[in-house]
Amino acid sequence: MDKEKIMQGVRMILEGVGEDLEREGLVKTPERVAKMYEELLWGVDINPADVIQAMFMEEHEEMIVVKDIPFYSICEHHLIPFLGKAHVAYIPGPEGQITGISKLARVVDVLSKRLQVQERITTEVADTLVKALRPRGVLVVIEAEHLCMSMRGVKKPGTLTITSAVRGTFHTNAASRAEAMSLIRQKS
């Protein structure tokens, strides 16, 4: 990440909106913003499949669901955050290959820590799990509030966007899909 270019860009934005770059509160803003983008976008060059290194062979043929995985990302259209929860379900494949449940949350983290759109994160999480685990099925549901819609434009705070990606048996078997959705909707 080129922090100096980010700092130059922030200076230009501040000048563009009519701010005084020498004002006490803004002197270090370009540096702070560059550090912030480094923190918020650390997933840019990371292959999400690499975080699923820990895999185990188990004779487990039933559904595994990790729900309410908090995440935030930066909308690539407006450079404003969107945040919400991801829900991930999978059924191990015939080889019984599973991963540590924290790895599912890590995949969401890696993919959300780059300029994104919600639809792409949803698809990429599902495709990463299919590639890495070769499961019978994967279901990913993401619910998020987009601040580009809450703070600007139509200005509808609290509005949620829900996306899903369905692979394998969750796509072909309505009962499996319904069971996964029921577990996701279940209140804790």
mmCIF file of all heavy atoms in Angstrom, residues 50-71:
data_model
loop_
_atom_site.group_PDB
_atom_site.id
_atom_site.type_symbol
_atom_site.label_atom_id
_atom_site.label_comp_id
_atom_site.label_asym_id
_atom_site.label_seq_id
_atom_site.Cartn_x
_atom_site.Cartn_y
_atom_site.Cartn_z
ATOM 1 N N ASP A 50 -6.060 -19.461 1.624
ATOM 2 C CA ASP A 50 -4.872 -19.708 2.451
ATOM 3 C C ASP A 50 -5.177 -19.734 3.939
ATOM 4 O O ASP A 50 -4.416 -20.297 4.717
ATOM 5 C CB ASP A 50 -3.789 -18.665 2.169
ATOM 6 C CG ASP A 50 -3.161 -18.838 0.796
ATOM 7 O OD1 ASP A 50 -3.367 -19.901 0.162
ATOM 8 O OD2 ASP A 50 -2.476 -17.893 0.349
ATOM 9 N N VAL A 51 -6.280 -19.109 4.365
ATOM 10 C CA VAL A 51 -6.601 -19.117 5.796
ATOM 11 C C VAL A 51 -7.275 -20.415 6.218
ATOM 12 O O VAL A 51 -7.480 -20.645 7.399
ATOM 13 C CB VAL A 51 -7.464 -17.902 6.224
ATOM 14 C CG1 VAL A 51 -6.769 -16.604 5.888
ATOM 15 C CG2 VAL A 51 -8.855 -17.955 5.651
ATOM 16 N N ILE A 52 -7.605 -21.268 5.254
ATOM 17 C CA ILE A 52 -8.228 -22.561 5.578
ATOM 18 C C ILE A 52 -7.168 -23.658 5.506
ATOM 19 O O ILE A 52 -7.344 -24.676 4.872
ATOM 20 C CB ILE A 52 -9.402 -22.869 4.615
ATOM 21 C CG1 ILE A 52 -10.395 -21.733 4.625
ATOM 22 C CG2 ILE A 52 -10.108 -24.158 5.004
ATOM 23 C CD1 ILE A 52 -11.592 -21.941 3.737
ATOM 24 N N GLN A 53 -6.052 -23.441 6.134
ATOM 25 C CA GLN A 53 -4.986 -24.440 6.124
ATOM 26 C C GLN A 53 -5.278 -25.602 7.066
ATOM 27 O O GLN A 53 -4.953 -26.731 6.768
ATOM 28 C CB GLN A 53 -3.644 -23.797 6.481
ATOM 29 C CG GLN A 53 -3.164 -22.810 5.448
ATOM 30 C CD GLN A 53 -3.025 -23.426 4.062
ATOM 31 O OE1 GLN A 53 -2.547 -24.530 3.909
ATOM 32 N NE2 GLN A 53 -3.474 -22.700 3.058
ATOM 33 N N ALA A 54 -5.876 -25.313 8.189
ATOM 34 C CA ALA A 54 -6.178 -26.365 9.159
ATOM 35 C C ALA A 54 -7.421 -27.119 8.710
ATOM 36 O O ALA A 54 -8.538 -26.611 8.786
ATOM 37 C CB ALA A 54 -6.390 -25.765 10.546
ATOM 38 N N MET A 55 -7.205 -28.329 8.199
ATOM 39 C CA MET A 55 -8.330 -29.167 7.777
ATOM 40 C C MET A 55 -8.179 -30.527 8.440
ATOM 41 O O MET A 55 -7.072 -31.014 8.623
ATOM 42 C CB MET A 55 -8.362 -29.295 6.260
ATOM 43 C CG MET A 55 -8.788 -28.009 5.592
ATOM 44 S SD MET A 55 -8.941 -28.162 3.839
ATOM 45 C CE MET A 55 -7.328 -27.643 3.304
ATOM 46 N N PHE A 56 -9.306 -31.085 8.773
ATOM 47 C CA PHE A 56 -9.320 -32.351 9.494
ATOM 48 C C PHE A 56 -10.286 -33.309 8.804
ATOM 49 O O PHE A 56 -11.295 -32.886 8.250
ATOM 50 C CB PHE A 56 -9.770 -32.133 10.942
ATOM 51 C CG PHE A 56 -9.093 -30.967 11.604
ATOM 52 C CD1 PHE A 56 -9.707 -29.717 11.645
ATOM 53 C CD2 PHE A 56 -7.844 -31.110 12.183
ATOM 54 C CE1 PHE A 56 -9.086 -28.638 12.243
ATOM 55 C CE2 PHE A 56 -7.217 -30.033 12.791
ATOM 56 C CZ PHE A 56 -7.836 -28.799 12.822
ATOM 57 N N MET A 57 -9.986 -34.572 8.876
ATOM 58 C CA MET A 57 -10.886 -35.584 8.342
ATOM 59 C C MET A 57 -11.735 -36.106 9.492
ATOM 60 O O MET A 57 -11.213 -36.615 10.476
ATOM 61 C CB MET A 57 -10.104 -36.728 7.699
ATOM 62 C CG MET A 57 -9.180 -36.274 6.577
ATOM 63 S SD MET A 57 -10.023 -35.245 5.396
ATOM 64 C CE MET A 57 -10.055 -36.312 4.014
ATOM 65 N N GLU A 58 -13.020 -35.934 9.387
ATOM 66 C CA GLU A 58 -13.955 -36.400 10.395
ATOM 67 C C GLU A 58 -15.077 -37.148 9.690
ATOM 68 O O GLU A 58 -15.393 -36.856 8.550
ATOM 69 C CB GLU A 58 -14.566 -35.220 11.164
ATOM 70 C CG GLU A 58 -13.627 -34.553 12.127
ATOM 71 C CD GLU A 58 -13.294 -35.418 13.329
ATOM 72 O OE1 GLU A 58 -14.152 -36.227 13.746
ATOM 73 O OE2 GLU A 58 -12.178 -35.269 13.840
ATOM 74 N N GLU A 59 -15.677 -38.062 10.376
ATOM 75 C CA GLU A 59 -16.838 -38.752 9.818
ATOM 76 C C GLU A 59 -18.083 -37.976 10.212
ATOM 77 O O GLU A 59 -18.978 -38.495 10.865
ATOM 78 C CB GLU A 59 -16.875 -40.198 10.307
ATOM 79 C CG GLU A 59 -15.757 -41.021 9.711
ATOM 80 C CD GLU A 59 -15.840 -42.481 10.107
ATOM 81 O OE1 GLU A 59 -16.947 -42.975 10.393
ATOM 82 O OE2 GLU A 59 -14.780 -43.105 10.133
ATOM 83 N N HIS A 60 -18.099 -36.720 9.795
ATOM 84 C CA HIS A 60 -19.226 -35.835 10.098
ATOM 85 C C HIS A 60 -19.893 -35.477 8.782
ATOM 86 O O HIS A 60 -19.295 -34.852 7.919
ATOM 87 C CB HIS A 60 -18.740 -34.570 10.810
ATOM 88 C CG HIS A 60 -19.855 -33.677 11.247
ATOM 89 N ND1 HIS A 60 -20.576 -33.902 12.392
ATOM 90 C CD2 HIS A 60 -20.398 -32.576 10.679
ATOM 91 C CE1 HIS A 60 -21.499 -32.971 12.519
ATOM 92 N NE2 HIS A 60 -21.409 -32.149 11.481
ATOM 93 N N GLU A 61 -21.131 -35.896 8.640
ATOM 94 C CA GLU A 61 -21.844 -35.664 7.390
ATOM 95 C C GLU A 61 -22.997 -34.690 7.562
ATOM 96 O O GLU A 61 -23.840 -34.554 6.685
ATOM 97 C CB GLU A 61 -22.379 -36.994 6.839
ATOM 98 C CG GLU A 61 -21.276 -37.975 6.510
ATOM 99 C CD GLU A 61 -21.817 -39.308 6.015
ATOM 100 O OE1 GLU A 61 -23.058 -39.475 5.950
ATOM 101 O OE2 GLU A 61 -20.991 -40.175 5.690
ATOM 102 N N GLU A 62 -23.044 -34.032 8.693
ATOM 103 C CA GLU A 62 -24.156 -33.127 8.989
ATOM 104 C C GLU A 62 -23.713 -31.677 8.804
ATOM 105 O O GLU A 62 -22.534 -31.367 8.699
ATOM 106 C CB GLU A 62 -24.642 -33.356 10.421
ATOM 107 C CG GLU A 62 -25.076 -34.789 10.719
ATOM 108 C CD GLU A 62 -26.203 -35.281 9.821
ATOM 109 O OE1 GLU A 62 -27.108 -34.483 9.515
ATOM 110 O OE2 GLU A 62 -26.165 -36.456 9.429
ATOM 111 N N MET A 63 -24.677 -30.795 8.827
ATOM 112 C CA MET A 63 -24.470 -29.387 8.584
ATOM 113 C C MET A 63 -23.669 -28.713 9.698
ATOM 114 O O MET A 63 -23.837 -29.018 10.879
ATOM 115 C CB MET A 63 -25.852 -28.734 8.475
ATOM 116 C CG MET A 63 -25.858 -27.333 7.978
ATOM 117 S SD MET A 63 -27.553 -26.700 7.883
ATOM 118 C CE MET A 63 -28.396 -27.968 6.969
ATOM 119 N N ILE A 64 -22.835 -27.788 9.303
ATOM 120 C CA ILE A 64 -22.079 -26.941 10.220
ATOM 121 C C ILE A 64 -22.464 -25.507 9.884
ATOM 122 O O ILE A 64 -22.385 -25.098 8.731
ATOM 123 C CB ILE A 64 -20.562 -27.158 10.032
ATOM 124 C CG1 ILE A 64 -20.199 -28.608 10.338
ATOM 125 C CG2 ILE A 64 -19.768 -26.173 10.896
ATOM 126 C CD1 ILE A 64 -18.887 -29.057 9.777
ATOM 127 N N VAL A 65 -22.904 -24.762 10.888
ATOM 128 C CA VAL A 65 -23.339 -23.379 10.670
ATOM 129 C C VAL A 65 -22.608 -22.473 11.653
ATOM 130 O O VAL A 65 -22.583 -22.738 12.855
ATOM 131 C CB VAL A 65 -24.866 -23.223 10.886
ATOM 132 C CG1 VAL A 65 -25.290 -21.767 10.686
ATOM 133 C CG2 VAL A 65 -25.654 -24.151 9.980
ATOM 134 N N VAL A 66 -22.017 -21.409 11.131
ATOM 135 C CA VAL A 66 -21.482 -20.334 11.963
ATOM 136 C C VAL A 66 -22.246 -19.093 11.546
ATOM 137 O O VAL A 66 -22.223 -18.699 10.379
ATOM 138 C CB VAL A 66 -19.965 -20.145 11.760
ATOM 139 C CG1 VAL A 66 -19.459 -18.991 12.623
ATOM 140 C CG2 VAL A 66 -19.207 -21.423 12.098
ATOM 141 N N LYS A 67 -22.971 -18.523 12.502
ATOM 142 C CA LYS A 67 -23.819 -17.384 12.149
ATOM 143 C C LYS A 67 -23.424 -16.144 12.930
ATOM 144 O O LYS A 67 -22.664 -16.215 13.899
ATOM 145 C CB LYS A 67 -25.290 -17.714 12.344
ATOM 146 C CG LYS A 67 -25.716 -17.936 13.777
ATOM 147 C CD LYS A 67 -27.202 -18.262 13.808
ATOM 148 C CE LYS A 67 -27.766 -17.942 15.166
ATOM 149 N NZ LYS A 67 -29.218 -18.002 15.184
ATOM 150 N N ASP A 68 -23.940 -15.034 12.466
ATOM 151 C CA ASP A 68 -23.714 -13.736 13.117
ATOM 152 C C ASP A 68 -22.237 -13.361 13.184
ATOM 153 O O ASP A 68 -21.764 -12.821 14.183
ATOM 154 C CB ASP A 68 -24.338 -13.703 14.514
ATOM 155 C CG ASP A 68 -25.848 -13.844 14.479
ATOM 156 O OD1 ASP A 68 -26.454 -13.483 13.464
ATOM 157 O OD2 ASP A 68 -26.421 -14.331 15.473
ATOM 158 N N ILE A 69 -21.499 -13.633 12.114
ATOM 159 C CA ILE A 69 -20.090 -13.234 12.030
ATOM 160 C C ILE A 69 -20.078 -11.741 11.689
ATOM 161 O O ILE A 69 -20.466 -11.354 10.588
ATOM 162 C CB ILE A 69 -19.344 -14.022 10.940
ATOM 163 C CG1 ILE A 69 -19.415 -15.528 11.192
ATOM 164 C CG2 ILE A 69 -17.896 -13.546 10.834
ATOM 165 C CD1 ILE A 69 -18.996 -16.380 9.998
ATOM 166 N N PRO A 70 -19.668 -10.892 12.624
ATOM 167 C CA PRO A 70 -19.682 -9.458 12.326
ATOM 168 C C PRO A 70 -18.584 -9.116 11.316
ATOM 169 O O PRO A 70 -17.504 -9.706 11.327
ATOM 170 C CB PRO A 70 -19.414 -8.797 13.678
ATOM 171 C CG PRO A 70 -18.786 -9.847 14.514
ATOM 172 C CD PRO A 70 -19.196 -11.182 13.965
ATOM 173 N N PHE A 71 -18.865 -8.160 10.447
ATOM 174 C CA PHE A 71 -17.855 -7.704 9.493
ATOM 175 C C PHE A 71 -18.155 -6.265 9.111
ATOM 176 O O PHE A 71 -19.248 -5.749 9.322
ATOM 177 C CB PHE A 71 -17.839 -8.584 8.227
ATOM 178 C CG PHE A 71 -18.930 -8.243 7.260
ATOM 179 C CD1 PHE A 71 -18.699 -7.366 6.212
ATOM 180 C CD2 PHE A 71 -20.207 -8.760 7.413
ATOM 181 C CE1 PHE A 71 -19.712 -7.016 5.331
ATOM 182 C CE2 PHE A 71 -21.226 -8.421 6.545
ATOM 183 C CZ PHE A 71 -20.979 -7.551 5.497
#
